[in-house]
Amino acid sequence: MKVIDVRGLRYRYPDGTLALDGVDFDLEAGECVALFGANGSGKTTFVLHLNGLLSGEGSIEICGMPLKRETLPHIRARVGLVFQDSEEQLFMPTVLEDVAFGPRNLGVPAPEALARAAKTLEQVGIPASHQKAPYHLSSGEKRRAAIAGVLAMRPEILVLDEPTTSLDPPGRRDLIRLLAALPQAKILVTHDVDFASSLAARAVFFERGRIAAQGAVEEIARRFNWRSQPVESRDRR
């Protein structure tokens, strides 16, 4: 069953830059797909459309619902987006309150939201962080806390933008184990082919706002001579 169905998606930034030029994409329930492509190729612009943070031309269906103003609250509950910079998602006084924020925003009563947050922090492997301030966490712990904040809303789809940024090798291995154990469909925006190979069955290559090719991760990496590379400060488009 398709959980994402995108057809003919186009988007132009206010400065005139054409960031997406007719993208067709689908994602099956439980599937994990990696998005490859150079900086500015349209990957991040694309995923920001999946929960309505950007709005272009074309059609988007999430879990069978067309994405439009009336369905946005339902769709945002189903698509959990984890940003490249985890600190963009951590802003409450304690980690527990941070993870509970999403469920509370969906109308879950405070006691239930806090209980759900505590359980999710155990699920991601940082149960001792409940009363810590987010800025006291390591980079790997911040990544896990950001993922916990999304998981606490019980989404059907996880979208992670450059999830291995700033992680050391042990943190990267822990993240792979965590994501591999999660049942949700996943989209990984990444420059890390080895990371993608550990989790994704399929890769999609973005080039100048279009999908240039898709197939097995290693096949696409070979075709475009795309090897794991560091992620620098970049234009997120």
Side-chain angles (χ1 to χ4, degrees):
M1 183 187 75
K2 288 183 184 179
V3 290
I4 295 179
D5 189 358
V6 176
R7 293 291 173 264
L9 185 60
R10 293 173 57 86
Y11 183 78
R12 190 180 297 273
Y13 278 97
D15 66 3
T17 301
L18 182 61
L20 297 175
D21 186 17
V23 171
D24 296 333
F25 176 87
D26 54 69
L27 183 72
E28 298 289 330
E31 186 183 16
C32 182
V33 173
L35 305 189
F36 293 154
N39 296 345
S41 62
K43 306 183 303 296
T44 296
T45 300
F46 171 70
V47 297
L48 291 177
H49 278 77
L50 299 179
N51 64 357
L53 293 177
L54 292 176
S55 180
E57 301 172 2
S59 68
I60 300 175
E61 285 193 2
I62 305 293
C63 301
M65 288 183 293
L67 195 157
K68 51 188 178 180
R69 184 178 302 230
E70 310 90 86
T71 61
L72 263 183
H74 304 288
I75 284 173
R76 286 178 174 166
R78 286 167 170 77
V79 180
L81 178 59
V82 181
F83 295 111
Q84 179 179 337
D85 184 353
S86 300
E87 294 185 4
E88 292 182 13
Q89 293 179 249
L90 302 174
F91 52 87
M92 297 293 283
T94 69
V95 173
L96 185 66
E97 291 172 284
D98 234 313
V99 176
F101 178 84
R104 292 285 291 124
N105 201 41
L106 294 176
V108 176
E112 182 182 342
L114 289 168
R116 188 187 295 186
K119 184 175 180 179
T120 308
L121 286 168
E122 291 181 13
Q123 180 184 3
V124 302
I126 49 170
S129 67
H130 288 196
Q131 300 308 318
K132 286 185 178 180
Y135 60 82
H136 284 152
L137 302 180
S138 68
S139 294
E141 288 171 332
K142 286 177 182 175
R143 182 75 64 202
R144 285 170 176 261
I147 293 172
V150 168
L151 290 178
M153 294 187 286
R154 298 178 177 170
E156 295 179 43
I157 303 158
L158 292 176
V159 180
L160 299 101
D161 191 2
E162 300 294 356
T164 57
T165 301
S166 302
L167 293 185
D168 57 18
R172 185 175 172 278
R173 288 193 296 271
D174 287 345
L175 179 62
I176 290 170
R177 282 194 291 267
L178 169 61
L179 294 177
L182 296 175
Q184 285 88 350
K186 304 173 193 71
I187 295 176
L188 311 174
V189 179
T190 183
H191 284 67
D192 188 336
V193 174
D194 296 332
F195 173 76
S197 296
S198 299
L199 294 163
R202 177 164 63 102
V204 172
F205 197 91
F206 274 73
E207 194 169 57
R208 292 192 286 274
R210 299 181 66 88
I211 291 179
Q214 55 185 308
V217 173
E218 290 298 334
E219 173 193 339
I220 294 299
R222 283 194 302 270
R223 179 172 170 182
F224 291 90
N225 195 26
W226 194 256
R227 302 314 309 167
S228 297
Q229 51 193 280
V231 179
E232 300 173 354
S233 177
R234 59 188 176 89
D235 183 342
R236 288 167 57 98
R237 297 177 185 176

